[in-house]
Amino acid sequence: MAMGEPKPRVSGASSTTDSYSTPSASPTPTPAPRQPVTLLEPSHQHKKKGKKVFRVFRSVFRSFPIITPAACKIPVLPGGSLPDQHRSGSSGSRVSGTLFGYRKGRVSLSIQENSKCLPSLVVELAMQTMMLQKELSGGMVRIALETEKRADKEKVKIMDEPLWTMYCNGKKTGYGVKRDATEEDLNVMELLRPVSMGAGVLPGNSETEGPDSEMAYMRAYFERVVGSKDSETFYMLSPEGNNGPELSIFFVRV
């Protein structure tokens, strides 16, 4: 399963397979209508605090450029591999994870208790969607989101941190920003409500991207492993026998 493959295409709340014969003349595509939000509250939904702070961080840091690669602080084992609790037998809870974004825009990560629930976490990552697609085509992707450990953060849950330094396969790419789910985020999650696993494209419906653009997505189950109060990891679960990309997302305070 690779992000943004042309099949299946999702329109409305159903998934259909398109034929790719090119007509001699095609009308301008009409943006898909917004879907009424029927997603449910997560069973362990906690009160959101500091919404204004998150919005300020997002407005400031989303415009930061992709920056010069630097070393990731995640510990590396001999041979160049990352420590992998999932492979050593640790068990965790299963959640639904979705990576989505316009091809030339930044990709976002949404974590849901399941595909029928409202997102419990949305992070705008420091990487263009088409660059993540390229990395996934290589078969193995490790995303590390780091924030500094400080005394005044002892009571802040790691997933409530507003700003992260992001690394992809050991290279620094910029800053990831946690945000409240936007209207467009919720529309995407509503369209993908019947999809448990898969990859494809959604019709464009953005004032900035225009109706001719398409939003790529990849949805899968992830195993959530809590290492400590300063580390959580999400491991993508592939269907048995599937040789698709391997993806792990690390959240750490260092």
Side-chain angles (χ1 to χ4, degrees), residues 26 55 90 101 106 120 139 142 147:
S26 58
R55 292 193 185 102
S90 296
R106 296 200 175 192
S120 54
R142 297 288 185 267
T147 188

Side-chain angles (χ1 to χ4, degrees), residues 74-85 87 140 142 169 246 250:
I74 292 282
V76 178
L77 298 176
S81 61
L82 289 167
D84 197 333
Q85 295 174 341
R87 295 180 180 279
M140 181 180 293
R142 297 288 185 267
N169 288 341
E246 188 175 335
F250 301 83

Side-chain angles (χ1 to χ4, degrees), residues 68-162:
T68 306
C72 175
K73 296 179 183 178
I74 292 282
V76 178
L77 298 176
S81 61
L82 289 167
D84 197 333
Q85 295 174 341
H86 176 65
R87 295 180 180 279
S88 62
S90 296
S91 60
S93 58
R94 192 175 77 165
V95 297
S96 177
T98 309
L99 291 158
F100 63 99
Y102 291 100
R103 296 186 187 279
K104 295 182 180 180
R106 296 200 175 192
V107 66
S108 295
L109 167 69
S110 171
I111 298 295
Q112 298 165 274
E113 186 176 300
N114 59 62
S115 63
K116 296 177 177 60
C117 288
L118 290 164
S120 54
L121 175 71
V122 179
V123 179
E124 184 174 301
L125 303 178
M127 176 174 283
Q128 287 187 333
T129 305
M130 59 184 181
M131 292 305 297
L132 179 58
Q133 290 174 320
K134 183 178 178 181
E135 293 288 343
L136 287 170
S137 67
M140 181 180 293
V141 177
R142 297 288 185 267
I143 293 175
L145 294 159
E146 296 183 354
T147 188
E148 292 184 1
K149 188 187 298 184
R150 291 197 291 267
D152 60 351
K153 287 188 175 181
E154 289 182 358
K155 295 183 180 180
V156 177
K157 294 182 179 180
I158 188 169
M159 306 310 290
D160 289 337
E161 296 283 1

